[in-house]
Amino acid sequence: MTGGRAWVVSSAGVDEEGAGQVITSDRSGTAHDAAVRRLVDVVRDHVRLIDTGGPRPPGWRYPSVFHFLLAHGRVFTPAPRPPGLDKMPDGACRVNAAHAARTYGEHDLVYAGGMAAYHRPGVAVHLPHAWCVTRDGTAVDPTWDADGGTIAYFGVPLADRTLWPAYGEGLLEDFMRCAPLLRDGFSEAAYAPRGHGIT
């Protein structure tokens, strides 16, 4: 893990009191921690639903993108965009993140894809999303602004630029590109060890 942070998610998914999933960090109690906790819960809920469903592809390493995310996903600390990296168009997060990571090399960015959450009073949205990540695990989002809310990121940072999207859908949304990862597993060379793991 980087930055000395430990994100701990109980293996059973609930704490000893049965009150809910436990995630702790050196910033526990913050709105960001609550958003991360809920985001990981959403991914785990999808895994549980799929695990109780019908047949899975025989011999595949990961039955779904959500299983893949739990195996390789990392948590990232949101931060404002650095000077010179302007907000990019809404609705194009995957292309925006890949373009920013390729173009703004001075910030040492890599592409990351997975799930993100936007929380503010009365609103909680959890969506597939893409963003960039710095070497220290900071999320740099060329598409979303916090606008008074809290954003949480849980995804996979990709070192292999051939896995970054050039057009349209990202790796995790494009079944034809994602199927080999789900079937055969994930090459460590494709992975950028950034962010904070969960256990």
CSV table of all heavy atoms in Angstrom, one decimal, residues 9 38-47 50 61-76 94 111-117 126-131 152-158 170-173 178 181-183 185-186 191 194 196-199:
chain,number,residue,atom,x,y,z
A,9,VAL,N,-11.6,-3.6,4.9
A,9,VAL,CA,-13.0,-4.0,4.7
A,9,VAL,C,-13.1,-5.4,5.2
A,9,VAL,O,-12.4,-6.3,4.8
A,9,VAL,CB,-13.4,-4.0,3.2
A,9,VAL,CG1,-14.9,-4.4,3.0
A,9,VAL,CG2,-13.2,-2.6,2.6
A,38,ARG,N,-19.6,3.2,1.1
A,38,ARG,CA,-20.8,2.9,0.3
A,38,ARG,C,-20.5,2.4,-1.1
A,38,ARG,O,-21.1,1.5,-1.6
A,38,ARG,CB,-21.7,4.1,0.3
A,38,ARG,CG,-23.0,3.9,-0.4
A,38,ARG,CD,-23.9,2.8,0.3
A,38,ARG,NE,-25.0,2.4,-0.6
A,38,ARG,CZ,-25.2,1.2,-0.9
A,38,ARG,NH1,-24.5,0.2,-0.5
A,38,ARG,NH2,-26.2,0.9,-1.7
A,39,LEU,N,-19.5,3.0,-1.7
A,39,LEU,CA,-19.1,2.6,-3.0
A,39,LEU,C,-18.6,1.1,-3.0
A,39,LEU,O,-19.0,0.3,-3.9
A,39,LEU,CB,-18.0,3.5,-3.6
A,39,LEU,CG,-17.5,3.3,-5.0
A,39,LEU,CD1,-18.6,3.4,-6.0
A,39,LEU,CD2,-16.4,4.3,-5.3
A,40,VAL,N,-17.8,0.8,-2.1
A,40,VAL,CA,-17.3,-0.6,-2.0
A,40,VAL,C,-18.5,-1.6,-1.7
A,40,VAL,O,-18.6,-2.7,-2.2
A,40,VAL,CB,-16.2,-0.8,-0.9
A,40,VAL,CG1,-15.8,-2.2,-0.7
A,40,VAL,CG2,-15.0,0.0,-1.4
A,41,ASP,N,-19.4,-1.1,-0.9
A,41,ASP,CA,-20.6,-1.9,-0.6
A,41,ASP,C,-21.4,-2.1,-1.9
A,41,ASP,O,-21.9,-3.3,-2.1
A,41,ASP,CB,-21.6,-1.1,0.4
A,41,ASP,CG,-21.1,-1.2,1.8
A,41,ASP,OD1,-20.3,-2.1,2.1
A,41,ASP,OD2,-21.7,-0.5,2.6
A,42,VAL,N,-21.5,-1.1,-2.7
A,42,VAL,CA,-22.3,-1.3,-4.0
A,42,VAL,C,-21.6,-2.4,-4.9
A,42,VAL,O,-22.3,-3.3,-5.4
A,42,VAL,CB,-22.4,0.0,-4.8
A,42,VAL,CG1,-22.8,-0.1,-6.2
A,42,VAL,CG2,-23.3,1.0,-4.0
A,43,VAL,N,-20.3,-2.3,-5.0
A,43,VAL,CA,-19.6,-3.3,-5.8
A,43,VAL,C,-19.8,-4.7,-5.1
A,43,VAL,O,-20.0,-5.7,-5.8
A,43,VAL,CB,-18.1,-3.0,-5.9
A,43,VAL,CG1,-17.3,-4.1,-6.6
A,43,VAL,CG2,-17.9,-1.7,-6.7
A,44,ARG,N,-19.6,-4.8,-3.8
A,44,ARG,CA,-19.8,-6.1,-3.1
A,44,ARG,C,-21.3,-6.6,-3.3
A,44,ARG,O,-21.5,-7.8,-3.5
A,44,ARG,CB,-19.5,-6.0,-1.7
A,44,ARG,CG,-18.0,-5.9,-1.4
A,44,ARG,CD,-17.8,-6.0,0.1
A,44,ARG,NE,-16.4,-5.9,0.5
A,44,ARG,CZ,-15.5,-6.9,0.5
A,44,ARG,NH1,-15.9,-8.1,0.2
A,44,ARG,NH2,-14.3,-6.7,0.8
A,45,ASP,N,-22.3,-5.7,-3.3
A,45,ASP,CA,-23.6,-6.1,-3.5
A,45,ASP,C,-23.8,-6.7,-4.9
A,45,ASP,O,-24.5,-7.7,-5.1
A,45,ASP,CB,-24.6,-4.9,-3.4
A,45,ASP,CG,-24.8,-4.5,-2.0
A,45,ASP,OD1,-24.4,-5.2,-1.0
A,45,ASP,OD2,-25.3,-3.4,-1.8
A,46,HIS,N,-23.2,-6.2,-5.9
A,46,HIS,CA,-23.2,-6.7,-7.3
A,46,HIS,C,-22.6,-8.1,-7.3
A,46,HIS,O,-23.1,-9.0,-7.9
A,46,HIS,CB,-22.5,-5.8,-8.3
A,46,HIS,CG,-23.4,-4.7,-8.7
A,46,HIS,ND1,-24.4,-4.8,-9.6
A,46,HIS,CD2,-23.3,-3.4,-8.4
A,46,HIS,CE1,-24.9,-3.6,-9.8
A,46,HIS,NE2,-24.3,-2.7,-9.0
A,47,VAL,N,-21.5,-8.3,-6.6
A,47,VAL,CA,-20.8,-9.6,-6.6
A,47,VAL,C,-21.7,-10.6,-5.9
A,47,VAL,O,-21.9,-11.7,-6.4
A,47,VAL,CB,-19.4,-9.5,-5.8
A,47,VAL,CG1,-18.9,-10.9,-5.4
A,47,VAL,CG2,-18.4,-8.7,-6.7
A,50,ILE,N,-24.5,-11.6,-8.3
A,50,ILE,CA,-24.0,-12.4,-9.4
A,50,ILE,C,-23.7,-13.8,-8.9
A,50,ILE,O,-24.0,-14.8,-9.5
A,50,ILE,CB,-22.8,-11.8,-10.1
A,50,ILE,CG1,-23.2,-10.5,-10.8
A,50,ILE,CG2,-22.1,-12.8,-11.0
A,50,ILE,CD1,-22.1,-9.6,-11.2
A,61,ARG,N,-11.6,-16.8,-14.7
A,61,ARG,CA,-11.0,-16.4,-13.5
A,61,ARG,C,-12.0,-15.4,-12.7
A,61,ARG,O,-12.1,-15.6,-11.5
A,61,ARG,CB,-9.7,-15.6,-13.8
A,61,ARG,CG,-9.0,-15.1,-12.5
A,61,ARG,CD,-7.7,-15.7,-12.4
A,61,ARG,NE,-7.1,-15.4,-11.2
A,61,ARG,CZ,-5.8,-15.0,-11.0
A,61,ARG,NH1,-5.1,-15.0,-12.1
A,61,ARG,NH2,-5.4,-14.7,-9.9
A,62,TYR,N,-12.7,-14.5,-13.4
A,62,TYR,CA,-13.6,-13.6,-12.8
A,62,TYR,C,-14.9,-13.7,-13.5
A,62,TYR,O,-15.0,-13.5,-14.7
A,62,TYR,CB,-13.1,-12.2,-12.9
A,62,TYR,CG,-11.7,-12.0,-12.3
A,62,TYR,CD1,-10.6,-11.9,-13.2
A,62,TYR,CD2,-11.5,-12.0,-11.0
A,62,TYR,CE1,-9.3,-11.7,-12.7
A,62,TYR,CE2,-10.2,-11.9,-10.5
A,62,TYR,CZ,-9.1,-11.7,-11.3
A,62,TYR,OH,-7.8,-11.6,-10.8
A,63,PRO,N,-16.0,-14.0,-12.8
A,63,PRO,CA,-17.3,-14.1,-13.4
A,63,PRO,C,-17.9,-12.8,-13.9
A,63,PRO,O,-18.9,-12.8,-14.7
A,63,PRO,CB,-18.2,-14.8,-12.3
A,63,PRO,CG,-17.4,-15.0,-11.1
A,63,PRO,CD,-16.0,-14.4,-11.4
A,64,SER,N,-17.4,-11.7,-13.4
A,64,SER,CA,-18.0,-10.4,-13.8
A,64,SER,C,-16.9,-9.3,-13.6
A,64,SER,O,-15.9,-9.5,-12.9
A,64,SER,CB,-19.2,-10.1,-12.9
A,64,SER,OG,-18.8,-9.7,-11.6
A,65,VAL,N,-17.2,-8.2,-14.1
A,65,VAL,CA,-16.4,-7.0,-13.9
A,65,VAL,C,-16.3,-6.6,-12.4
A,65,VAL,O,-15.3,-6.2,-11.9
A,65,VAL,CB,-16.9,-5.8,-14.7
A,65,VAL,CG1,-16.3,-4.5,-14.3
A,65,VAL,CG2,-16.8,-6.1,-16.2
A,66,PHE,N,-17.4,-6.8,-11.7
A,66,PHE,CA,-17.4,-6.5,-10.3
A,66,PHE,C,-16.5,-7.4,-9.5
A,66,PHE,O,-15.8,-7.0,-8.5
A,66,PHE,CB,-18.8,-6.6,-9.7
A,66,PHE,CG,-19.7,-5.6,-10.4
A,66,PHE,CD1,-20.6,-6.0,-11.4
A,66,PHE,CD2,-19.7,-4.2,-10.1
A,66,PHE,CE1,-21.5,-5.1,-12.0
A,66,PHE,CE2,-20.5,-3.3,-10.7
A,66,PHE,CZ,-21.4,-3.7,-11.7
A,67,HIS,N,-16.4,-8.7,-9.8
A,67,HIS,CA,-15.4,-9.6,-9.2
A,67,HIS,C,-14.0,-9.1,-9.5
A,67,HIS,O,-13.1,-9.1,-8.6
A,67,HIS,CB,-15.6,-11.0,-9.7
A,67,HIS,CG,-16.8,-11.7,-9.2
A,67,HIS,ND1,-18.1,-11.5,-9.8
A,67,HIS,CD2,-17.0,-12.6,-8.3
A,67,HIS,CE1,-19.0,-12.2,-9.2
A,67,HIS,NE2,-18.4,-12.9,-8.2
A,68,PHE,N,-13.8,-8.7,-10.7
A,68,PHE,CA,-12.5,-8.2,-11.2
A,68,PHE,C,-12.1,-6.9,-10.3
A,68,PHE,O,-11.0,-6.8,-9.9
A,68,PHE,CB,-12.5,-7.9,-12.7
A,68,PHE,CG,-11.2,-7.3,-13.2
A,68,PHE,CD1,-10.1,-8.1,-13.5
A,68,PHE,CD2,-11.1,-5.9,-13.4
A,68,PHE,CE1,-9.0,-7.6,-14.0
A,68,PHE,CE2,-9.9,-5.4,-13.9
A,68,PHE,CZ,-8.9,-6.2,-14.2
A,69,LEU,N,-13.1,-6.0,-10.2
A,69,LEU,CA,-12.8,-4.8,-9.4
A,69,LEU,C,-12.5,-5.2,-7.9
A,69,LEU,O,-11.6,-4.5,-7.4
A,69,LEU,CB,-14.1,-3.9,-9.4
A,69,LEU,CG,-14.2,-3.0,-10.6
A,69,LEU,CD1,-15.5,-2.3,-10.5
A,69,LEU,CD2,-13.1,-2.0,-10.7
A,70,LEU,N,-13.2,-6.1,-7.3
A,70,LEU,CA,-12.8,-6.5,-5.9
A,70,LEU,C,-11.5,-7.1,-5.8
A,70,LEU,O,-10.8,-6.9,-4.8
A,70,LEU,CB,-13.9,-7.4,-5.3
A,70,LEU,CG,-15.2,-6.7,-4.8
A,70,LEU,CD1,-16.1,-7.8,-4.2
A,70,LEU,CD2,-14.9,-5.6,-3.8
A,71,ALA,N,-11.0,-7.8,-6.9
A,71,ALA,CA,-9.7,-8.4,-6.8
A,71,ALA,C,-8.6,-7.4,-7.0
A,71,ALA,O,-7.5,-7.5,-6.5
A,71,ALA,CB,-9.6,-9.5,-7.9
A,72,HIS,N,-8.8,-6.4,-7.9
A,72,HIS,CA,-7.7,-5.5,-8.3
A,72,HIS,C,-8.0,-4.1,-8.0
A,72,HIS,O,-7.1,-3.2,-8.2
A,72,HIS,CB,-7.4,-5.7,-9.8
A,72,HIS,CG,-7.0,-7.0,-10.2
A,72,HIS,ND1,-5.7,-7.5,-9.9
A,72,HIS,CD2,-7.7,-8.1,-10.8
A,72,HIS,CE1,-5.7,-8.8,-10.3
A,72,HIS,NE2,-6.8,-9.1,-10.8
A,73,GLY,N,-9.2,-3.7,-7.5
A,73,GLY,CA,-9.5,-2.3,-7.3
A,73,GLY,C,-8.8,-1.7,-6.2
A,73,GLY,O,-8.3,-2.3,-5.2
A,74,ARG,N,-8.6,-0.4,-6.3
A,74,ARG,CA,-7.9,0.4,-5.4
A,74,ARG,C,-8.8,1.7,-5.1
A,74,ARG,O,-9.6,2.1,-5.9
A,74,ARG,CB,-6.6,0.9,-5.9
A,74,ARG,CG,-5.7,-0.2,-6.5
A,74,ARG,CD,-5.0,-1.0,-5.5
A,74,ARG,NE,-3.9,-0.3,-4.9
A,74,ARG,CZ,-3.1,-0.7,-4.0
A,74,ARG,NH1,-3.3,-1.9,-3.5
A,74,ARG,NH2,-2.1,0.0,-3.5
A,75,VAL,N,-8.6,2.3,-3.9
A,75,VAL,CA,-9.2,3.5,-3.5
A,75,VAL,C,-8.3,4.6,-3.8
A,75,VAL,O,-7.1,4.5,-3.5
A,75,VAL,CB,-9.6,3.4,-2.0
A,75,VAL,CG1,-10.2,4.8,-1.5
A,75,VAL,CG2,-10.6,2.3,-1.8
A,76,PHE,N,-8.8,5.7,-4.3
A,76,PHE,CA,-8.0,6.9,-4.6
A,76,PHE,C,-8.5,8.2,-3.9
A,76,PHE,O,-9.7,8.3,-3.7
A,76,PHE,CB,-8.0,7.1,-6.1
A,76,PHE,CG,-7.6,5.9,-6.9
A,76,PHE,CD1,-8.5,5.1,-7.4
A,76,PHE,CD2,-6.3,5.6,-7.0
A,76,PHE,CE1,-8.2,3.9,-8.1
A,76,PHE,CE2,-5.9,4.4,-7.7
A,76,PHE,CZ,-6.8,3.6,-8.2
A,94,ARG,N,-14.3,8.3,-20.1
A,94,ARG,CA,-13.2,7.4,-20.5
A,94,ARG,C,-12.2,8.0,-21.4
A,94,ARG,O,-11.0,7.9,-21.3
A,94,ARG,CB,-13.9,6.1,-21.0
A,94,ARG,CG,-14.6,5.3,-19.9
A,94,ARG,CD,-15.8,4.6,-20.4
A,94,ARG,NE,-16.6,4.1,-19.4
A,94,ARG,CZ,-17.6,4.7,-18.8
A,94,ARG,NH1,-18.0,5.9,-19.2
A,94,ARG,NH2,-18.3,4.2,-17.8
A,111,TYR,N,-4.3,6.1,-16.5
A,111,TYR,CA,-5.7,5.9,-16.6
A,111,TYR,C,-6.2,5.0,-15.6
A,111,TYR,O,-5.5,4.0,-15.3
A,111,TYR,CB,-6.0,5.4,-18.0
A,111,TYR,CG,-7.5,5.0,-18.3
A,111,TYR,CD1,-8.3,6.0,-18.8
A,111,TYR,CD2,-7.9,3.8,-18.0
A,111,TYR,CE1,-9.7,5.6,-19.1
A,111,TYR,CE2,-9.3,3.4,-18.3
A,111,TYR,CZ,-10.1,4.4,-18.8
A,111,TYR,OH,-11.4,4.0,-19.0
A,112,ALA,N,-7.4,5.2,-15.0
A,112,ALA,CA,-8.0,4.3,-14.1
A,112,ALA,C,-9.5,4.2,-14.4
A,112,ALA,O,-10.1,5.2,-14.7
A,112,ALA,CB,-7.8,4.7,-12.6
A,113,GLY,N,-10.0,3.0,-14.3
A,113,GLY,CA,-11.5,2.8,-14.6
A,113,GLY,C,-12.1,1.9,-13.5
A,113,GLY,O,-11.4,1.1,-12.9
A,114,GLY,N,-13.3,2.2,-13.2
A,114,GLY,CA,-14.0,1.4,-12.2
A,114,GLY,C,-15.3,2.0,-11.9
A,114,GLY,O,-16.1,2.4,-12.8
A,115,MET,N,-15.6,2.2,-10.6
A,115,MET,CA,-16.8,2.8,-10.1
A,115,MET,C,-16.4,4.1,-9.4
A,115,MET,O,-15.4,4.2,-8.7
A,115,MET,CB,-17.5,1.9,-9.2
A,115,MET,CG,-18.0,0.6,-9.8
A,115,MET,SD,-19.5,0.9,-10.9
A,115,MET,CE,-20.7,1.2,-9.7
A,116,ALA,N,-17.3,5.1,-9.5
A,116,ALA,CA,-17.1,6.3,-8.7
A,116,ALA,C,-18.5,6.7,-8.1
A,116,ALA,O,-19.5,6.3,-8.6
A,116,ALA,CB,-16.6,7.5,-9.6
A,117,ALA,N,-18.4,7.4,-7.0
A,117,ALA,CA,-19.6,7.9,-6.3
A,117,ALA,C,-19.6,9.4,-6.1
A,117,ALA,O,-18.5,10.0,-5.9
A,117,ALA,CB,-19.7,7.2,-4.9
A,126,HIS,N,-23.9,6.2,-7.9
A,126,HIS,CA,-22.7,5.3,-8.0
A,126,HIS,C,-22.8,4.9,-9.5
A,126,HIS,O,-23.7,4.2,-9.9
A,126,HIS,CB,-22.9,4.1,-7.1
A,126,HIS,CG,-23.0,4.5,-5.7
A,126,HIS,ND1,-24.2,4.8,-5.1
A,126,HIS,CD2,-22.0,4.7,-4.7
A,126,HIS,CE1,-24.0,5.1,-3.8
A,126,HIS,NE2,-22.7,5.1,-3.6
A,127,LEU,N,-21.7,5.2,-10.2
A,127,LEU,CA,-21.7,4.9,-11.7
A,127,LEU,C,-20.3,4.3,-12.1
A,127,LEU,O,-19.3,4.7,-11.5
A,127,LEU,CB,-21.9,6.2,-12.4
A,127,LEU,CG,-23.2,7.0,-12.3
A,127,LEU,CD1,-23.1,8.3,-12.9
A,127,LEU,CD2,-24.3,6.2,-12.9
A,128,PRO,N,-20.3,3.6,-13.2
A,128,PRO,CA,-19.1,3.3,-13.9
A,128,PRO,C,-18.4,4.6,-14.3
A,128,PRO,O,-19.1,5.5,-14.8
A,128,PRO,CB,-19.5,2.4,-15.1
A,128,PRO,CG,-20.8,1.9,-14.7
A,128,PRO,CD,-21.5,2.9,-13.9
A,129,HIS,N,-17.1,4.7,-14.1
A,129,HIS,CA,-16.5,6.0,-14.4
A,129,HIS,C,-15.0,5.8,-14.7
A,129,HIS,O,-14.5,4.7,-14.4
A,129,HIS,CB,-16.6,6.9,-13.2
A,129,HIS,CG,-16.2,8.3,-13.4
A,129,HIS,ND1,-16.7,9.1,-14.4
A,129,HIS,CD2,-15.4,9.1,-12.7
A,129,HIS,CE1,-16.2,10.3,-14.4
A,129,HIS,NE2,-15.4,10.4,-13.3
A,130,ALA,N,-14.3,6.8,-15.2
A,130,ALA,CA,-12.9,6.7,-15.5
A,130,ALA,C,-12.3,8.1,-15.1
A,130,ALA,O,-12.9,9.1,-15.2
A,130,ALA,CB,-12.6,6.4,-16.9
A,131,TRP,N,-11.0,8.0,-14.6
A,131,TRP,CA,-10.3,9.2,-14.1
A,131,TRP,C,-8.8,8.9,-14.3
A,131,TRP,O,-8.4,7.9,-14.7
A,131,TRP,CB,-10.7,9.5,-12.7
A,131,TRP,CG,-10.4,8.3,-11.8
A,131,TRP,CD1,-9.3,8.1,-11.0
A,131,TRP,CD2,-11.3,7.2,-11.5
A,131,TRP,NE1,-9.4,6.9,-10.3
A,131,TRP,CE2,-10.6,6.4,-10.6
A,131,TRP,CE3,-12.5,6.8,-12.0
A,131,TRP,CZ2,-11.2,5.2,-10.1
A,131,TRP,CZ3,-13.1,5.6,-11.5
A,131,TRP,CH2,-12.4,4.8,-10.6
A,152,ALA,N,-15.9,9.8,-4.5
A,152,ALA,CA,-15.1,8.6,-4.1
A,152,ALA,C,-14.8,7.8,-5.3
A,152,ALA,O,-15.6,7.7,-6.2
A,152,ALA,CB,-15.8,7.8,-3.0
A,153,TYR,N,-13.6,7.2,-5.4
A,153,TYR,CA,-13.2,6.4,-6.5
A,153,TYR,C,-12.7,5.1,-6.1
A,153,TYR,O,-12.0,4.9,-5.1
A,153,TYR,CB,-12.0,7.1,-7.2
A,153,TYR,CG,-12.3,8.5,-7.8
A,153,TYR,CD1,-12.1,9.6,-7.0
A,153,TYR,CD2,-12.9,8.7,-9.0
A,153,TYR,CE1,-12.4,10.9,-7.4
A,153,TYR,CE2,-13.2,10.0,-9.5
A,153,TYR,CZ,-12.9,11.1,-8.7
A,153,TYR,OH,-13.2,12.3,-9.2
A,154,PHE,N,-13.2,4.0,-6.8
A,154,PHE,CA,-12.7,2.7,-6.6
A,154,PHE,C,-12.5,2.0,-7.9
A,154,PHE,O,-13.5,1.8,-8.7
A,154,PHE,CB,-13.7,1.9,-5.7
A,154,PHE,CG,-13.4,0.5,-5.4
A,154,PHE,CD1,-12.2,0.2,-4.8
A,154,PHE,CD2,-14.2,-0.6,-5.8
A,154,PHE,CE1,-11.8,-1.2,-4.5
A,154,PHE,CE2,-13.9,-1.9,-5.5
A,154,PHE,CZ,-12.7,-2.2,-4.9
A,155,GLY,N,-11.3,1.7,-8.3
A,155,GLY,CA,-11.1,1.2,-9.7
A,155,GLY,C,-9.7,0.6,-9.8
A,155,GLY,O,-8.9,0.5,-8.9
A,156,VAL,N,-9.4,0.4,-11.1
A,156,VAL,CA,-8.1,-0.3,-11.4
A,156,VAL,C,-7.2,0.7,-12.2
A,156,VAL,O,-7.6,1.1,-13.3
A,156,VAL,CB,-8.4,-1.6,-12.2
A,156,VAL,CG1,-7.1,-2.3,-12.6
A,156,VAL,CG2,-9.3,-2.5,-11.5
A,157,PRO,N,-6.1,1.0,-11.7
A,157,PRO,CA,-5.1,1.9,-12.5
A,157,PRO,C,-4.3,1.0,-13.5
A,157,PRO,O,-3.8,0.0,-13.1
A,157,PRO,CB,-4.2,2.4,-11.4
A,157,PRO,CG,-4.2,1.4,-10.3
A,157,PRO,CD,-5.6,0.7,-10.4
A,158,LEU,N,-4.3,1.5,-14.7
A,158,LEU,CA,-3.7,0.7,-15.8
A,158,LEU,C,-2.4,1.3,-16.3
A,158,LEU,O,-2.5,2.4,-16.8
A,158,LEU,CB,-4.7,0.6,-16.9
A,158,LEU,CG,-6.0,-0.1,-16.6
A,158,LEU,CD1,-7.0,0.0,-17.8
A,158,LEU,CD2,-5.8,-1.6,-16.2
A,170,GLY,N,-14.8,2.3,-22.1
A,170,GLY,CA,-13.5,1.9,-21.4
A,170,GLY,C,-13.4,0.4,-21.4
A,170,GLY,O,-14.3,-0.3,-21.8
A,171,LEU,N,-12.3,0.0,-20.9
A,171,LEU,CA,-12.0,-1.5,-20.8
A,171,LEU,C,-13.1,-2.3,-20.1
A,171,LEU,O,-13.5,-3.3,-20.6
A,171,LEU,CB,-10.6,-1.7,-20.2
A,171,LEU,CG,-10.2,-3.1,-19.9
A,171,LEU,CD1,-9.9,-3.8,-21.3
A,171,LEU,CD2,-9.0,-3.2,-19.1
A,172,LEU,N,-13.5,-1.8,-19.0
A,172,LEU,CA,-14.4,-2.6,-18.2
A,172,LEU,C,-15.9,-2.5,-18.7
A,172,LEU,O,-16.7,-3.4,-18.3
A,172,LEU,CB,-14.4,-2.0,-16.7
A,172,LEU,CG,-13.1,-2.1,-16.0
A,172,LEU,CD1,-13.2,-1.6,-14.6
A,172,LEU,CD2,-12.5,-3.5,-16.0
A,173,GLU,N,-16.2,-1.6,-19.6
A,173,GLU,CA,-17.5,-1.6,-20.2
A,173,GLU,C,-17.6,-2.2,-21.6
A,173,GLU,O,-18.6,-2.4,-22.1
A,173,GLU,CB,-18.0,-0.1,-20.3
A,173,GLU,CG,-18.2,0.6,-19.0
A,173,GLU,CD,-16.9,1.1,-18.4
A,173,GLU,OE1,-15.9,1.3,-19.1
A,173,GLU,OE2,-16.8,1.2,-17.2
A,178,CYS,N,-12.7,-6.6,-22.5
A,178,CYS,CA,-12.6,-7.0,-21.1
A,178,CYS,C,-12.6,-8.5,-20.9
A,178,CYS,O,-12.0,-9.1,-20.0
A,178,CYS,CB,-13.7,-6.4,-20.3
A,178,CYS,SG,-13.6,-6.6,-18.5
A,181,LEU,N,-9.5,-10.4,-19.9
A,181,LEU,CA,-9.1,-10.2,-18.5
A,181,LEU,C,-9.9,-11.0,-17.6
A,181,LEU,O,-9.4,-11.6,-16.6
A,181,LEU,CB,-9.2,-8.7,-18.1
A,181,LEU,CG,-8.3,-7.8,-18.8
A,181,LEU,CD1,-8.6,-6.3,-18.4
A,181,LEU,CD2,-6.8,-8.1,-18.5
A,182,LEU,N,-11.2,-11.1,-17.8
A,182,LEU,CA,-12.1,-11.8,-17.0
A,182,LEU,C,-11.9,-13.3,-17.1
A,182,LEU,O,-11.9,-14.1,-16.1
A,182,LEU,CB,-13.6,-11.6,-17.3
A,182,LEU,CG,-14.1,-10.1,-17.2
A,182,LEU,CD1,-15.5,-10.0,-17.6
A,182,LEU,CD2,-13.8,-9.6,-15.8
A,183,ARG,N,-11.5,-13.8,-18.3
A,183,ARG,CA,-11.3,-15.2,-18.5
A,183,ARG,C,-9.9,-15.7,-18.0
A,183,ARG,O,-9.8,-16.6,-17.3
A,183,ARG,CB,-11.4,-15.5,-20.0
A,183,ARG,CG,-11.3,-17.0,-20.4
A,183,ARG,CD,-11.3,-17.2,-21.9
A,183,ARG,NE,-10.2,-16.4,-22.5
A,183,ARG,CZ,-10.4,-15.5,-23.5
A,183,ARG,NH1,-11.6,-15.3,-24.0
A,183,ARG,NH2,-9.4,-14.9,-24.0
A,185,GLY,N,-7.3,-13.6,-16.5
A,185,GLY,CA,-6.7,-12.9,-15.4
A,185,GLY,C,-6.0,-11.7,-15.9
A,185,GLY,O,-6.0,-11.3,-17.0
A,186,PHE,N,-5.3,-11.0,-14.9
A,186,PHE,CA,-4.7,-9.7,-15.1
A,186,PHE,C,-3.2,-9.8,-15.0
A,186,PHE,O,-2.7,-10.2,-14.0
A,186,PHE,CB,-5.3,-8.8,-14.1
A,186,PHE,CG,-5.1,-7.3,-14.3
A,186,PHE,CD1,-5.4,-6.7,-15.4
A,186,PHE,CD2,-4.5,-6.6,-13.2
A,186,PHE,CE1,-5.3,-5.3,-15.6
A,186,PHE,CE2,-4.3,-5.2,-13.4
A,186,PHE,CZ,-4.7,-4.6,-14.6
A,191,TYR,N,-0.8,-3.5,-14.7
A,191,TYR,CA,-1.3,-2.8,-13.5
A,191,TYR,C,-0.3,-1.7,-13.0
A,191,TYR,O,0.9,-2.0,-13.0
A,191,TYR,CB,-1.5,-3.9,-12.4
A,191,TYR,CG,-2.1,-3.4,-11.1
A,191,TYR,CD1,-3.4,-3.1,-11.0
A,191,TYR,CD2,-1.2,-3.3,-10.0
A,191,TYR,CE1,-3.9,-2.7,-9.8
A,191,TYR,CE2,-1.8,-2.9,-8.8
A,191,TYR,CZ,-3.1,-2.6,-8.7
A,191,TYR,OH,-3.6,-2.2,-7.5
A,194,ARG,N,-0.8,2.0,-7.8
A,194,ARG,CA,-1.2,3.3,-7.2
A,194,ARG,C,-2.4,3.2,-6.4
A,194,ARG,O,-3.3,2.3,-6.7
A,194,ARG,CB,-1.3,4.3,-8.3
A,194,ARG,CG,0.0,4.5,-9.2
A,194,ARG,CD,-0.2,5.5,-10.3
A,194,ARG,NE,1.1,5.6,-11.0
A,194,ARG,CZ,1.4,6.6,-11.8
A,194,ARG,NH1,0.5,7.5,-12.0
A,194,ARG,NH2,2.5,6.6,-12.4
A,196,HIS,N,-4.8,3.0,-2.8
A,196,HIS,CA,-4.8,2.3,-1.5
A,196,HIS,C,-5.7,1.0,-1.7
A,196,HIS,O,-6.8,1.1,-2.1
A,196,HIS,CB,-5.3,3.2,-0.4
A,196,HIS,CG,-4.7,4.5,-0.5
A,196,HIS,ND1,-3.4,4.8,-0.1
A,196,HIS,CD2,-5.2,5.7,-0.9
A,196,HIS,CE1,-3.1,6.1,-0.3
A,196,HIS,NE2,-4.2,6.7,-0.8
A,197,GLY,N,-5.1,-0.1,-1.3
A,197,GLY,CA,-5.9,-1.4,-1.4
A,197,GLY,C,-6.9,-1.5,-0.3
A,197,GLY,O,-6.9,-0.8,0.7
A,198,ILE,N,-7.8,-2.4,-0.6
A,198,ILE,CA,-8.8,-2.8,0.5
A,198,ILE,C,-8.5,-4.2,0.9
A,198,ILE,O,-8.0,-5.0,0.1
A,198,ILE,CB,-10.2,-2.6,0.0
A,198,ILE,CG1,-10.6,-3.5,-1.1
A,198,ILE,CG2,-10.6,-1.2,-0.3
A,198,ILE,CD1,-12.1,-3.6,-1.4
A,199,THR,N,-8.8,-4.6,2.1
A,199,THR,CA,-8.6,-6.0,2.5
A,199,THR,C,-9.9,-6.4,3.2
A,199,THR,O,-10.7,-5.6,3.6
A,199,THR,CB,-7.4,-6.1,3.5
A,199,THR,OG1,-7.6,-5.3,4.6
A,199,THR,CG2,-6.1,-5.8,2.7
